[in-house]
Amino acid sequence: MPRAVSALYAASLVASCATATDAPQSSGASASTGPDVNIERVVLQAYRAIGDRHLFEPNFRTISAETYRGFAAGDPSLSLESTPTSFTVRRDGREILTRPVPSDQADGRAWGTMLAELMAGSLDASSALQHSDRQTVIREAMAATTKQLDRNSRYADPEEARDNRFQRDGGGGIGITIERAEDKRILIRAVQEGSPAAKAGVQPGDQILAIEGESMVERPLSDVVARLRGAVGAPVAMTVLRPSQGAELVLSMKRSRIIPTTVTYERRGDVAWIHLTGFNSATTDNLRAAIDKARAEIGRDMLGLIIDMRSNRGGLLDQAQSVSELFIGDGTIFSTQGRHPESRRTYKSSNGAKNADMPIVVLMNGGSASAAEIVAAALQDRGRAVVVGTTSYGKGTVQTVVRLPNEGELILTWSRLQAPSGYTWNELGVLPNICTAKVGDIGQLGPASVDSGQGTLMRWHALRNPTHQEVVDLRKICPPGDNTPDRDVEIAVRLLRDRALYAHAVQAATQQAQAR
């Protein structure tokens, strides 16, 4: 996935995409970023993972040539010459090292071993590479590698990988979200309930001036985040300017284990509006708590639930499953298909969901991806929700996260997702039942508005291997949007308050799934 449009960094942020088994790493390890990082070991481990797990059988001849070019980008005098039987490294035209190529183009271990030997010889011969930052060399090599795989496989350097692990699993922090204002001030946008920051009296709108007495005014947001995170129980003092008082305050606190907040609840009269901004290890528990809070606050008058996943980039696969299980009592939620035997699975619910009869409207847009699309497709396909908004991003693949020796991560595509009825939304996206752009007067929303898109939806879901042109043409029907208009929410509330209209929309979705 591309990085989020907004430039928010935080002591608690939004999760990136991975599967439950994709991220077995702990989040407390420190990165090894010194110049002695062994690039050969990094490449060898990455190649083994690609050979074993990638969705498609790799062609390591092509991949290896590009990896080497990325590795040697810092020394233009180095070049790689390939023949059907060998790879040869030259420096200013003079041969440095040659190695026979493996006979099997899909053997990651053999190609990784050969490439590691070529890299070691190149490092010995190149003073430019010897004096280059080793993590930069690794990044260039791994970026060239993943570029040959697919659009969702990528490399995360140690700094980004540490943040990814924090987003997935949590870690030591104080529980705030920060942003840089247009005038360059670093402001606290949100404070997590019950966090060390909340207990210390930190408030949204406070401006961060210093941490442990060191000025943060001109520092990058990533530096501020790094200073706020640390070992659980370790103290930290933060100096803030509170505009309402016009005073500087020094607030002391001890870090605790923070899992970024991905669930927020807001009451809209007799409707519960819940925002899901990501899927990390606490999402399902927090969603369950938010629903319980809504039931208690609204009571018997509660008409239904809006699950707002607009611009939700996704997250952990097991959380997509468990979130879906809150609303689907039994049967298939989704399935995965890949090259590795363990990537071929069907995920089912059989727990008799407590919320199996609750009316639901799901909001999606062009920034909704991955785990968000899993939930939306499952609820739509099973007739458990009406999807409103625009076509989603179209990330219908699962990534496994491989932790590398340099503490970076290889995010590797290893399976393709399928909705309960069997269609895959990769590249295509999830099409809403009601496209917001095609609704004129919300007050006149009726069965005709629902029925107008049924033919397109059935065609959408009937495709198994759409051509590029079919994908382009279909996505034009309800173009993906990045905005989060209030009209989406208004339509959702209208559906939930009109029981007959909601029932008609759900019944239409169920009939489509059965027909497929």
Side-chain angles (χ1 to χ4, degrees), residues 6 9 91 199 398:
S6 82
Y9 288 78
R91 187 168 186 269
K199 294 174 182 177
V398 179

Side-chain angles (χ1 to χ4, degrees), residues 68-86:
Y68 184 85
R69 291 188 180 98
F71 156 80
D75 187 348
S77 69
L78 290 173
S79 63
L80 180 69
E81 179 183 283
S82 64
T83 72
T85 59
S86 67

